[in-house]
Amino acid sequence: MKNIIFLEFIMILFSLLSCTKNNVEPQPIENTVNEYLSYEILPINTDQGITNGLSTQFAFITKEPNLRKNKLFIFLPGTAATPQAYRKIIQTAAENGYYSFGLHYDNSLSSAGICNNTNDESCVENALREYFEGIDYSTEVSVNFPNSFINRITKMILYLDSQNPSENWSQFLTNNNQINWSLISLAGHSMGSRHAFFISKQVSLYKVGLFSGPNGFVLANGNFPSWISTDGETAISDITGFSNVNDNVAEWNYVQNIWEISGIQGTALNIDNNNAINSHQLFTEFIATNNGGSIIPAHNSTCVDIDTPIDTNGRPKFESVWKYMCFPE
């Protein structure tokens, strides 16, 4: 388990640092669909009580009001990563008419590193619930309400609405400022996929995208907690996973096992050169090297800006997969 934690942290951190080391920003995707507005927002500016996970959050929305859909795409980064590392998928959602933003949170501790060496089925569940609700359920983590997912999402929407009232961000909250989960497409990478998976059990979401995960649920006896296979509030038909079979952080066999146990629909489908996507268990065999000759981390290839492949038209190679999973027409 410790090896999994270390590898996950190093692989994501390597990807982010390689960009900084070469002083190269990920190139923006070629916008061939429609132009969008973009906003950069510090979490603490949405709520002074937010004290962890303070990296800039990015929000996007198409400039054309008649192209906007009444859906919000929210993306949760992986361990030690920030929303900046996932702008391509967030931008693509906006190009397809979705309101969209990347949310930061305290992801310094991988959720694969909590509840080690225990057979307590509720241990990981309680920790993830504390992240979500900000109530003291677990001794493994310490997340108060201001730093919870519920508060962070609510305050991000309120802030965007207050700064841009004509854009109608408020539609994603009820009259008493409760999150309108049924209008939200939630996705996450790696650690973020674990949170998205857990949140799908708690509330009825429009869509859920699991990128390179989830993993980190196994008990000391090798079994998985029973709650993974129980029905959640989100329909299982609205949850889709996408991983790389060469991933050595969230290993393919492990991840697919969780998909199977949780009931995610369909059988494993290789999307490489396949335009007929008809399953919710998707994988790629993509392997490539960067300009320096280093192998691109398979764990990041599914959606991390600097590592996800770009086609000859300057578009993300997996754009059709992202759309199928998270922001369909």
Side-chain angles (χ1 to χ4, degrees):
M1 179 66 73
K2 290 183 179 178
N3 289 336
I4 293 174
I5 302 164
F6 179 76
L7 277 171
E8 179 172 355
F9 179 83
I10 291 299
M11 294 294 282
I12 297 175
L13 190 61
F14 173 80
S15 173
L16 300 178
L17 290 179
S18 64
C19 177
T20 304
K21 180 178 178 181
N22 296 317
N23 196 28
V24 177
E25 281 289 314
Q27 295 300 306
I29 58 176
E30 294 294 329
N31 189 346
T32 60
V33 184
N34 62 72
E35 293 184 353
Y36 47 77
L37 303 169
S38 62
Y39 307 107
E40 299 181 13
I41 301 159
L42 290 173
I44 198 170
N45 289 340
T46 71
D47 184 344
Q48 293 294 308
I50 295 176
T51 55
N52 298 317
L54 299 178
S55 292
T56 302
Q57 300 178 150
F58 295 84
F60 301 96
I61 182 175
T62 176
K63 287 184 177 180
E64 298 296 330
N66 63 318
L67 296 179
R68 295 171 189 165
K69 300 178 173 69
N70 66 329
K71 296 291 188 297
L72 169 61
F73 175 66
I74 301 175
F75 194 89
L76 307 180
T79 305
T82 68
Q84 181 175 1
Y86 303 91
R87 283 177 295 178
K88 285 185 173 68
I89 189 170
I90 306 169
Q91 291 167 354
T92 304
E95 291 182 353
N96 284 273
Y98 282 55
Y99 294 69
S100 65
F101 61 75
L103 192 79
H104 203 210
Y105 61 101
D106 184 6
N107 59 354
S108 57
L109 172 66
S110 169
S111 56
I114 60 178
C115 302
N116 286 332
N117 303 316
T118 180
N119 290 321
D120 180 0
E121 289 208 347
S122 64
C123 187
V124 172
E125 182 181 16
N126 287 338
L128 294 175
R129 191 181 302 278
E130 185 163 327
Y131 271 103
F132 180 53
E133 299 179 13
I135 297 173
D136 186 14
Y137 291 108
S138 171
T139 58
E140 297 283 329
V141 298
S142 180
V143 182
N144 62 11
F145 181 73
N147 288 291
S148 68
F149 282 117
I150 289 177
N151 185 63
R152 286 174 179 270
I153 293 171
T154 301
K155 294 302 173 61
M156 182 68 165
I157 295 171
L158 286 171
Y159 183 87
L160 285 164
D161 189 65
S162 69
Q163 299 298 306
N164 314 282
S166 66
E167 294 174 1
N168 194 26
W169 289 87
S170 63
Q171 67 183 296
F172 303 112
L173 298 174
T174 64
N175 291 335
N176 58 348
N177 288 337
Q178 301 298 303
I179 300 169
N180 195 339
W181 295 107
S182 64
L183 300 181
I184 291 176
S185 175
L186 182 66
H189 173 241
S190 192
M191 177 182 179
S193 74
R194 295 176 208 133
H195 289 294
F197 178 79
F198 175 79
I199 293 171
S200 76
K201 298 284 188 180
Q202 312 309 310
V203 296
S204 179
L205 294 155
Y206 172 61
K207 297 292 179 185
V208 178
L210 308 175
F211 291 86
S212 302
N215 67 341
F217 294 141
V218 70
L219 301 172
N221 59 16
N223 296 327
F224 291 98
S226 58
W227 64 267
I228 289 179
S229 61
T230 60
D231 291 338
E233 293 298 317
T234 300
I236 198 67
S237 58
D238 292 323
I239 303 174
T240 307
F242 178 42
S243 286
N244 191 317
V245 296
N246 301 298
D247 193 332
N248 63 354
V249 179
E251 295 181 358
W252 166 242
N253 289 338
Y254 184 105
V255 169
Q256 194 198 13
N257 195 11
I258 291 179
W259 294 352
E260 291 281 356
I261 292 170
S262 62
I264 292 180
Q265 296 180 343
T267 56
L269 176 68
N270 187 343
I271 56 85
D272 299 333
N273 303 315
N274 188 341
N275 295 321
I277 302 176
N278 56 6
S279 175
H280 289 259
Q281 298 188 36
L282 310 177
F283 71 89
T284 177
E285 296 179 340
F286 172 77
I287 300 178
T289 58
N290 58 26
N291 292 335
S294 299
I295 295 177
I296 291 173
H299 185 62
N300 296 346
S301 65
T302 55
C303 60
V304 178
D305 283 2
I306 198 171
D307 292 325
T308 198
I310 302 300
D311 66 21
T312 55
N313 296 316
R315 302 294 304 176
K317 181 178 179 180
F318 299 138
E319 180 177 6
S320 61
V321 179
W322 297 350
K323 289 176 64 175
Y324 175 84
M325 294 174 66
C326 303
F327 30 91
E329 299 297 335

